Amino acid sequence: MASMNVSPATALTVRDPWALVPSLGNLDAYISAVNRLPMLTQEEETRYARQFREHNDLEAAGKLVMSHLRLVVSVSRQYLGYGLPHGDLIQEGNVGLMKAVKRFDPEQGVRLVSYALHWIKAEIHEYILKNWRMVKVATTKAQRKLFFNLRSMKQSLKEEAAEGDTHRTTLTDREIDTVARELNVKREEVMEMETRLSGGDVALEPTIDDGEESYAPITYLADEGSEPTRVMEAQRRDVLATDGVALALQALDDRSRRIVEERWLKVNDDGSGGMTLHELAADYGISAERIRQIEVAAMKKMRKALADYAA
């Protein structure tokens, strides 16, 4: 990330007066700056929330957002284990915070910090699910619940396991039942999510070119038959083998056509071919060599007809 500018001023279209956090290029500097921002008292929070709700006072909304930026930083730290940039997690959390401010009703008797927590986590969760792996691993409500709880629960269960059994990488049937019961999901869903989390992304193409033959998945997953030129060639062969051959046969006389059909196109029920040279020779009362000569001349004529058809 080239620039760490997570100030919500731009997103809320708020003017200069509350742009308290300048555009910063350093994440640590940003975190230090938001931690120095003053917290609002409950009276101030209620007053600003009413001003924004009743009069669309964007400056008041900005003060609500700015005073809770430290909350976003704190929540985002809980998700660093997923290997995603901390700055990106903070930015997504800030989006959730702004959504919370927009929907916050001060008359409900709840502090903004409690209300915003849900929205901040929701945006961070969505970002993690979309970017943690190339293929999304959780789509249903149960899968999302398992995605964000299974690893920590699995670690706790391992710590409670008997000595010598802490190096297991999979859950026992009893532990699967425990997780399913505590998260109120099906045990099959627990087993499926454990399988998904234990896997990883595999690069389709090799990442290192050492000049040797590559055995990356792209090597054996590629379907050459779907390559456009191969498809066109196959279609052309099909046309030549049907319409082209039929047209070429029409260019032959009756005897030549029968000889070609019996020798090359006829297949009996038992899988055998048509008549032999000697059988055709006996049928026509000529030598087998003469039948062969007629066949050669017919095939030459057909090849020319096919070439003309293809052109």
Side-chain angles (χ1 to χ4, degrees), residues 222-235:
D223 182 6
E224 294 185 357
S226 297
E227 201 272 326
T229 57
R230 296 293 182 91
V231 173
M232 294 176 65
E233 289 175 0
Q235 292 174 343

Side-chain angles (χ1 to χ4, degrees), residues 8 25 106 120 135 142 168 208 233 235 263 282 284:
I120 294 170
V135 178
R168 282 187 298 106
I208 300 177
E233 289 175 0
Q235 292 174 343
R263 294 280 291 145
Y284 284 106

Side-chain angles (χ1 to χ4, degrees), residues 22 27 39 42 141 212 247 252 266 273 278 292:
L27 180 59
M39 297 290 291
Q42 184 170 2
K141 183 178 180 181
E212 298 182 358
L247 185 65
L252 304 177
K266 188 174 181 179
H278 292 283
R292 189 190 67 78

Side-chain angles (χ1 to χ4, degrees), residues 152-171:
S152 59
M153 293 186 67
K154 188 175 180 179
Q155 183 62 34
S156 299
L157 291 170
K158 285 176 61 178
E159 293 174 354
E160 295 173 2
E163 185 176 353
D165 195 32
T166 57
H167 296 292
R168 282 187 298 106
T169 58
T170 59
L171 293 170

